[in-house]
Every structure is written in C-alpha cells, then in structure tokens.
C-alpha cells in the first residue's frame, strides 16, 4: 500500500480553516477589549457604609439643636464641612457666625430645655462623579421638643462628599443642597 502525498495550496487551507481563523481572531479581539476597557469607579460596600455613617453624623451635627450637645455638634462641623459650605451656612443663618452668637444660641436652647431627636428614613450613596466626589442623599425627620415648641420637621439633604488629604484621608462635605422633603405621614400606627 502506497501513501499518496498531497500538496495543499494556501487557498485550500483558507477555505478549510477560515471559520476557525475568524473565531480565533474575534476571541482575541474581545479579550483585548475586555482587558483594556476603562475601569468604572464604584464605591465598595464598606466605603458606602462609611460614607453613610459620615452623612448621618453631619446631618445630626447640622440639625441637632439640643442644649446638651449643641456646642459639640457645632464644633465638629468645623472639620466635617469645607470652607465654602461653612460660609454659605453662616450666610443662611444655619451656623452661628461668631462664638458670641453660638453662646447666645446655647443659652436660648438651655433656657427652653430644647431637645432634638432624629429618625433617618433613607441614606442613598451613589457612584462617584467625574471629579471623584460621592453624592449622598439623606432623608428623615427631626423632632424638636422644648418649653416653647414641639414640632416635627422632615428633611432631605444632598451632599457631595470628597476626601480631605491627610494620613488617613478623611471625608469632607464639599457641596450641600437642601432638597424638597417628601411628606411625612402624620397619622399614628394603623392609619
């Protein structure tokens, strides 16, 4: 028995293996695109928890006018807010402009025995924007009881949180906006 030696031309090879070549090139192209695609910046679950806790702290320090911890809350805002946010809040009358004004507020709150309680309904942390700032929205209700008043006020605040350089880097509110709060049901349980 004799073996016949066959000559195969490149054209015959191409016809026979063209599909295999196309699939291999396509797979290599897709693999290259997958490896070199830009990474989408996302916030890990631990960071989301940290930024959520930070947003709750800032909101508590902003809205808590209890005579017991008003001074501490107001002083902690100095490291939690950027200078531009502090300046805007002073102009709006949310933060005291001077220490005398802060002491006067404290005396007024102490005289009225003012206490506050907060209930957070929702804290939403979104993915970072182009500048690396993390948008955080906080919603809830603040309840104020004092000798002069007893009120319940909903709040909805939006923060842009960045990281202050340092070792370790600390979060700071770079931008703040008050959004229209969603209505709070006034009825008791079962209504």
């Amino acid at each position: 028995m004799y073996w016949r030696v066959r000559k195969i031309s490149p054209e015959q090879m191409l016809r026979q293996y063209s599909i295999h070549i196309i699939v291999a090139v396509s797979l290599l192209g897709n693999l290259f695109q997958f490896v070199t695609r830009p990474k989408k910046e996302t916030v890990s679950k631990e960071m989301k928890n940290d930024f959520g806790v930070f947003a709750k702290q800032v909101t508590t320090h902003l809205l808590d006018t209890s005579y017991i911890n008003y001074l501490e809350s107001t002083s902690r805002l100095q490291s939690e807010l950027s200078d531009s946010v502090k300046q805007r809040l002073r102009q709006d009358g949310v933060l005291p402009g001077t220490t005398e004004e802060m002491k006067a507020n404290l005396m007024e709150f102490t005289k009225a025995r003012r206490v506050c309680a907060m209930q957070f309904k929702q804290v939403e942390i979104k993915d970072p924007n182009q500048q690396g700032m993390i948008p955080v929205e906080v919603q809830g209700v603040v309840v104020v009881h004092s000798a002069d008043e007893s009120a319940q006020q909903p709040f909805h605040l939006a923060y842009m949180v960045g990281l202050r350089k340092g070792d370790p880097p600390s979060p700071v509110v770079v931008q703040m906006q008050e959004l229209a709060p969603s209505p709070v049901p006034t009825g008791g349980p079962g209504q």
Side-chain angles (χ1 to χ4, degrees):
M1 187 163 19
Y2 292 98
W3 291 90
R4 190 171 179 194
V5 177
R6 228 171 91 184
K7 292 187 180 181
I8 298 176
S9 69
E11 184 180 314
Q12 288 173 332
M13 287 281 284
L14 189 61
R15 249 190 265 141
Q16 188 173 1
Y17 296 109
S18 62
I19 297 294
H20 297 86
I21 294 170
I22 291 171
V23 168
V25 168
S26 173
L27 282 173
L28 287 174
N30 286 338
L31 181 64
F32 176 76
Q33 286 180 347
F34 179 75
V35 169
T36 60
R37 74 170 189 233
K39 291 188 168 91
K40 183 180 177 190
E41 294 212 21
T42 57
V43 181
S44 68
K45 195 169 191 169
E46 294 83 22
M47 283 186 72
K48 279 191 176 191
N49 287 338
D50 292 345
F51 281 108
V53 168
F54 175 73
K56 285 181 178 181
Q57 280 179 340
V58 171
T59 304
T60 301
H61 295 155
L62 273 173
L63 302 178
D64 186 12
T65 54
S66 298
Y67 73 97
I68 299 166
N69 49 6
Y70 173 73
L71 285 177
E72 181 186 345
S73 293
T74 306
S75 64
R76 292 186 93 198
L77 286 172
Q78 300 302 315
S79 64
E80 296 171 339
L81 303 175
S82 69
D83 292 335
S84 60
V85 173
K86 286 187 278 191
Q87 184 179 9
R88 198 184 102 224
L89 290 175
R90 284 186 186 113
Q91 289 173 349
D92 293 346
V94 176
L95 286 180
T98 62
T99 29
E100 290 80 26
E101 190 178 332
M102 185 167 46
K103 288 178 183 176
N105 287 345
L106 179 62
M107 286 182 56
E108 180 182 326
F109 298 153
T110 304
K111 184 176 161 185
R113 293 287 194 217
R114 183 178 182 133
V115 291
C116 294
M118 264 174 256
Q119 179 183 17
F120 293 97
K121 303 281 185 190
Q122 181 180 12
V123 178
E124 183 180 356
I125 297 105
K126 299 177 182 170
D127 287 332
N129 64 9
Q130 297 294 336
Q131 294 81 26
M133 304 297 168
I134 299 173
V136 181
E137 288 187 25
V138 180
Q139 294 184 45
V141 178
V142 61
V143 180
V144 178
H145 293 289
S146 71
D148 303 333
E149 65 177 320
S150 185
Q152 177 177 332
Q153 182 68 37
F155 62 86
H156 186 180
L157 300 171
Y159 302 118
M160 291 299 272
V161 181
L163 289 175
R164 181 174 282 145
K165 294 182 180 177
D167 192 30
S170 59
V172 63
V173 175
V174 178
Q175 228 175 26
M176 184 184 131
Q177 180 181 7
E178 185 174 358
L179 304 174
S182 44
V184 176
T186 55
Q191 284 187 347

